[in-house]
Amino acid sequence: MAENPAEIDAIRRTVQKYIDGIAHSDVGLVAEAFHPDASMSGHFSNGFRVSPASSVVAYMKKLPPTSEHSPKFRGRILHVRCDGTLATATIAEDQLQGKDFITHFHLHKVDSDWLITAKATYAADPTPARPG
């Protein structure tokens, strides 16, 4: 199936809303990127869990701004694929609360909007910078 550049751009804009929302502690922007019934899964400090993606927004509301708890945060889109009304995207979230994350999103086109319907994430301790 040929990928549609306009759809890829729209998907990237949705994923970028998530990244920008995290970077600027904008819970509204993060919430806007997700479908209301989206799910999230991953291995966290207390083990593997699956929860509503709305828990991301609830968690963010408890934190100080990202600029304080993760001043070196950097999010970037690594890959986007679109198959009709289904898409996948992979991002890296570096230096978020002392971890480096790889996150995979499933997105669906709902009416005319692309929304994240599932987030699966993995956090690793950041790789130490090499001297010199």
Side-chain angles (χ1 to χ4, degrees):
M1 183 178 293
E3 292 196 355
N4 179 331
E7 295 294 357
I8 294 292
D9 287 344
I11 294 159
R12 291 176 78 77
R13 283 192 302 274
T14 297
V15 172
Q16 193 62 50
K17 279 183 196 179
Y18 169 86
I19 293 170
D20 291 346
I22 297 293
H24 302 292
S25 302
D26 186 334
V27 295
L29 202 55
V30 171
E32 192 178 310
F34 282 99
H35 184 277
D37 297 323
S39 65
M40 178 180 79
S41 62
H43 289 89
F44 302 96
S45 58
N46 58 352
F48 178 78
R49 73 174 189 262
V50 178
S51 58
S54 59
S55 63
V56 173
V57 171
Y59 180 68
M60 284 179 68
K61 288 179 180 180
K62 297 177 185 178
L63 294 176
T66 302
S67 60
E68 291 177 22
H69 67 74
S70 301
K72 294 181 182 181
F73 170 75
R74 178 175 172 235
R76 55 201 153 81
I77 299 171
L78 302 175
H79 177 76
V80 174
R81 178 184 168 120
C82 178
D83 294 298
T85 58
L86 167 69
T88 59
T90 303
I91 68 170
E93 297 173 276
D94 300 328
Q95 295 293 312
L96 182 59
Q97 294 185 326
K99 302 276 186 189
D100 290 338
F101 290 82
I102 293 294
T103 298
H104 301 277
F105 293 118
H106 283 160
L107 300 92
H108 284 84
K109 191 168 189 180
V110 180
D111 299 321
S112 61
D113 296 319
W114 284 97
L115 296 172
I116 298 167
T117 56
K119 173 186 174 187
T121 193
Y122 169 76
D125 291 326
T127 306
R130 294 182 185 177

